[in-house]
């Protein structure tokens, strides 16, 4: 029996795509292997959000050349965003690969494999059809959680981001199809799902019939077996009170909201093409906290965007202090070829970026620690995920707000159990607790 191995790079959408690729391969008679050197087919599902990611993937492709030399029948396939972006140029740079499959074409993987076996020639399929989103089954990797894509593409064109160029325009799946997916997952024993989209707040807008993300949240409420519904990623531009109301009244949507702000300066937000102001963003946060009790709020911030002055940066620091995020994912701006920001004037020196990043992290770490300390003594429902990576005597689970709770292992507990934990100690990145 033929075996496959999939490398997955990048975002949760890529993880979801890999699960859909796996299902198709298994319908064609392939089985998964944990040993890449034993595989008859190797797929690299790629990311190109940063050039460092691309370089890492090209390095991996180079490392696989020796396997190809040992096994002439081995098929190497490149899928995902880097495949879409670089297309036929990949065959020139790494000619030992066989298949380049774009982001809109993973449903064709089996026929592409068959063509390679028949013709022994390079196969390329990178056409982008924004009129239809194929319904594909998945082979979930999680024991109690699963990804559920609700849409593909992005219409925002932030000046630093390559995603709209490689994922195409926004296209949503029907509400009924998503509900059916989630019902099946609940019946199969999955208790937590994550709704995926480049911008979930744009969900349904392409239907032009009044459907929006809140419509979907209402439709998913109360599905048997589903304890938690997560979602990512949100965009402030399309978020509105109707959606927030739906999140607030849902019986199983989590209390975590990841709402990327990117900068605390209106001037920089304009240069980023983000189409909202800091004041509007703060108003959204205030309403979210009013409608979603116990909200855990996280964000993304880019430091050192072209033209960012010290005043712009200090405005971002002040935003952190005003909003008090539970956690902020902070990044130094790095040029991404093919985006407007890569060629903007007034690029910020690397040393200035590093200094600003450290200051931002220091401020956020103080806030994260203070908020986690406030959780001490309180009891939260957590779903057990398994042993800690650093200490197998300690297990961990997550709260509805996605905060990690470490606790001593007990034989009576199992992965996927929903239990109550009292927080005994709050640290910057994790919580410690005891199971009740």
């Amino acid at each position: 029996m033929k075996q496959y191995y999939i490398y997955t790079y990048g975002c949760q959408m890529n993880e979801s795509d890999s699960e859909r690729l796996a299902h198709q391969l298994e319908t064609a008679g392939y089985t998964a292997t944990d040993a890449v050197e034993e595989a008859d087919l190797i797929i690299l599902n790629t990311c190109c959000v940063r050039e460092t990611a691309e370089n890492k993937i090209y390095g991996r492709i180079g490392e696989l050349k020796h396997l190809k030399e040992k096994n002439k029948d081995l098929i190497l396939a490149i899928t995902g965003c880097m495949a879409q972006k670089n297309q036929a140029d990949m065959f020139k740079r790494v000619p030992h690969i066989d298949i380049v499959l774009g982001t809109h074409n993973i449903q064709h993987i089996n026929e592409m494999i068959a063509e390679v076996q028949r013709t022994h020639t390079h196969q390329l399929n990178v056409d982008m059809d924004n009129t239809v989103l194929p319904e594909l089954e998945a082979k979930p990797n999680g024991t109690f959680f699963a990804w559920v894509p609700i849409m593909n593409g992005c219409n925002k064109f932030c000046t630093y981001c390559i995603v709209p160029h490689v994922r195409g325009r926004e296209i949503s799946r029907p509400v009924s199809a998503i509900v059916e997916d989630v019902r099946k997952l609940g019946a199969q024993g999955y208790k937590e799902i994550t709704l995926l989209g480049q911008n979930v707040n744009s969900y349904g807008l392409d239907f032009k019939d009044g459907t929006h993300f809140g419509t979907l949240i209402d439709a998913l409420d109360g599905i048997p077996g589903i304890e938690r519904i997560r979602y990512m990623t949100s965009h402030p531009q399309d978020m509105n009170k109707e959606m927030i109301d739906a999140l607030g009244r849902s019986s199983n949507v989590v209390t975590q909201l990841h709402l990327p702000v990117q900068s605390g300066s209106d001037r920089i937000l304009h240069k980023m093409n983000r189409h909202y102001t800091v004041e509007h963003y703060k108003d959204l946060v205030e309403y979210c906290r009013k409608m979603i009790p116990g909200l855990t709020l996280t964000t993304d911030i880019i430091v050192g965007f072209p033209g960012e002055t010290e005043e712009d940066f200090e405005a971002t620091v002040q935003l952190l202090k005003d909003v008090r995020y539970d956690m902020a994912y902070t990044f130094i701006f790095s040029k991404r070829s093919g985006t407007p920001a890569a060629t903007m004037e007034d690029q910020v020196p690397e040393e200035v970026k590093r200094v600003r990043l450290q200051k931002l992290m220091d401020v956020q770490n103080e806030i994260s620690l203070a908020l986690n300390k406030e959780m001490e003594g309180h009891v939260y429902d957590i779903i057990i995920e398994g042993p800690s990576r650093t200490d197998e005597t300690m297990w961990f689970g997550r709260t509805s707000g996605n905060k990690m709770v470490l606790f001593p292992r007990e034989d009576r507990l199992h992965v996927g159990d929903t239990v109550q934990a009292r927080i005994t100690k709050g640290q910057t990145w994790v919580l410690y607790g005891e199971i009740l």
Side-chain angles (χ1 to χ4, degrees), residues 201-219:
N201 298 132
S202 291
Y203 172 79
L205 301 185
D206 52 312
F207 296 151
K208 302 187 187 305
D209 62 359
T211 301
H212 56 78
F213 186 53
T215 310
L216 177 62
I217 292 298
D218 284 337

Side-chain angles (χ1 to χ4, degrees), residues 66-84:
H66 75 283
L67 295 179
K68 186 82 169 178
E69 292 168 347
K70 288 181 182 178
N71 178 7
K72 298 299 182 184
D73 293 326
L74 172 64
I75 295 176
L76 297 180
I78 312 299
T79 66
C81 294
M82 195 173 100
Q84 189 69 49

Side-chain angles (χ1 to χ4, degrees), residues 86-341:
N86 296 346
Q87 302 191 7
D89 288 342
M90 298 199 68
F91 291 129
K92 298 174 184 176
R93 181 165 175 175
V94 278
H96 59 283
I97 61 176
D98 301 287
I99 296 170
V100 173
L101 198 59
T103 54
H104 286 229
N105 303 285
I106 64 172
Q107 70 272 22
H108 299 303
I109 184 63
N110 286 338
E111 59 196 75
M112 301 289 280
I113 293 168
E115 276 301 294
V116 170
Q117 293 169 334
R118 186 179 70 85
T119 67
H120 303 285
T121 59
H122 288 152
Q123 297 297 312
L124 174 71
N125 191 337
V126 291
D127 294 338
M128 297 184 78
D129 183 355
N130 287 294
T131 63
V132 63
L133 193 56
E135 291 293 330
L136 299 174
E137 288 192 53
K139 179 194 174 187
N141 285 325
T143 53
F144 64 87
F145 64 90
W147 310 113
V148 178
I150 64 172
M151 61 186 300
N152 189 42
C154 183
N155 295 350
K156 294 295 176 282
F157 288 92
C158 299
T159 55
Y160 52 82
C161 185
I162 196 71
V163 169
H165 303 279
V166 294
R167 283 279 180 180
R169 302 295 74 75
E170 290 169 352
I171 180 171
S172 305
R173 296 178 63 200
V175 171
S176 58
I178 298 167
V179 169
E180 181 63 19
D181 269 5
V182 176
R183 285 193 184 280
K184 286 180 180 178
L185 289 167
Q188 292 167 8
Y190 293 92
K191 59 170 58 178
E192 178 176 308
I193 61 158
T194 301
L195 308 176
L196 295 178
Q198 271 73 41
N199 171 18
V200 295
N201 298 132
S202 291
Y203 172 79
L205 301 185
D206 52 312
F207 296 151
K208 302 187 187 305
D209 62 359
T211 301
H212 56 78
F213 186 53
T215 310
L216 177 62
I217 292 298
D218 284 337
L220 295 173
D221 191 40
I223 289 179
I226 302 298
E227 294 182 14
R228 290 179 178 175
I229 297 177
R230 300 190 183 277
Y231 54 96
M232 61 175 61
T233 294
S234 302
H235 193 300
Q237 180 179 335
D238 293 319
M239 195 171 213
N240 59 41
K241 289 186 176 181
E242 272 187 299
M243 295 178 193
I244 298 168
D245 290 344
L247 296 171
R249 64 176 168 259
S250 171
S251 63
N252 45 15
V253 166
V254 297
T255 56
Q256 181 200 13
L257 169 61
H258 184 68
L259 192 62
V261 67
Q262 304 300 2
S263 175
S265 162
D266 286 342
R267 191 180 73 85
I268 295 299
L269 288 175
H270 180 72
K271 291 189 71 176
M272 289 177 167
N273 198 35
R274 290 290 285 180
H275 293 288
Y276 56 85
T277 64
V278 172
E279 199 58 39
H280 175 68
Y281 181 92
K282 286 182 174 180
D283 288 344
L284 285 175
V285 168
E286 182 180 1
Y287 192 74
C288 285
R289 284 180 165 152
K290 175 183 175 184
M291 301 307 297
I292 308 172
L295 182 72
T296 296
L297 184 65
T298 59
T299 196
D300 293 339
I301 293 176
I302 296 173
V303 174
F305 190 81
E308 182 187 71
T309 64
E310 196 63 32
E311 183 181 5
D312 294 322
F313 171 69
E314 288 300 331
T316 301
V317 174
Q318 188 59 50
L319 178 71
L320 285 189
K321 295 176 179 178
D322 292 343
V323 174
R324 291 181 62 79
Y325 296 101
D326 288 83
M327 185 179 294
Y329 299 90
T330 51
F331 307 91
I332 285 178
F333 170 78
S334 59
K335 294 180 181 180
R336 172 69 279 191
S337 58
T339 65

Side-chain angles (χ1 to χ4, degrees), residues 359-429:
K359 179 174 180 179
L360 205 66
M361 291 169 60
D362 290 343
V363 171
Q364 180 56 49
N365 287 347
E366 285 187 18
I367 296 169
S368 296
L369 178 60
L371 292 176
N372 285 350
K373 296 289 283 183
E374 290 176 7
M375 296 175 70
E376 293 177 356
H378 294 274
V379 175
Y380 300 88
D381 286 340
I382 65 170
I383 299 180
I384 297 175
E385 296 190 26
S388 163
R389 291 180 181 177
T390 57
D391 183 357
E392 290 196 353
T393 67
M394 298 293 288
W395 277 30
F396 77 98
R398 295 180 192 274
T399 66
S400 173
N402 206 34
K403 293 203 175 184
M404 183 186 291
V405 181
L406 290 164
F407 56 88
R409 179 178 181 176
E410 299 179 33
D411 290 339
R412 66 185 175 92
L413 302 175
H414 303 91
V415 172
D417 285 352
T418 302
V419 296
Q420 288 192 317
R422 179 183 289 113
I423 307 304
T424 56
K425 185 178 182 181
Q427 294 189 337
T428 305
W429 303 108

Side-chain angles (χ1 to χ4, degrees), residues 8-68:
T8 305
Y9 299 87
C11 67
Q12 292 84 357
M13 188 67 80
N14 269 16
E15 293 184 38
S16 174
D17 284 347
S18 289
E19 292 181 350
R20 280 150 179 75
L21 285 164
H23 182 270
Q24 292 177 83
L25 295 174
E26 297 199 359
T27 62
Y30 281 87
T31 60
T33 177
D34 293 328
V36 66
E37 62 275 4
E38 296 177 4
D40 301 285
L41 167 70
I42 300 172
I43 296 177
L44 292 92
N45 191 8
T46 63
C47 171
C48 66
V49 68
R50 292 180 181 82
E51 292 195 27
T52 51
E54 272 198 37
N55 293 334
K56 179 180 178 181
I57 294 165
Y58 274 123
R60 176 68 70 183
I61 297 171
E63 292 170 6
L64 295 174
K65 186 176 182 180
H66 75 283
L67 295 179
K68 186 82 169 178

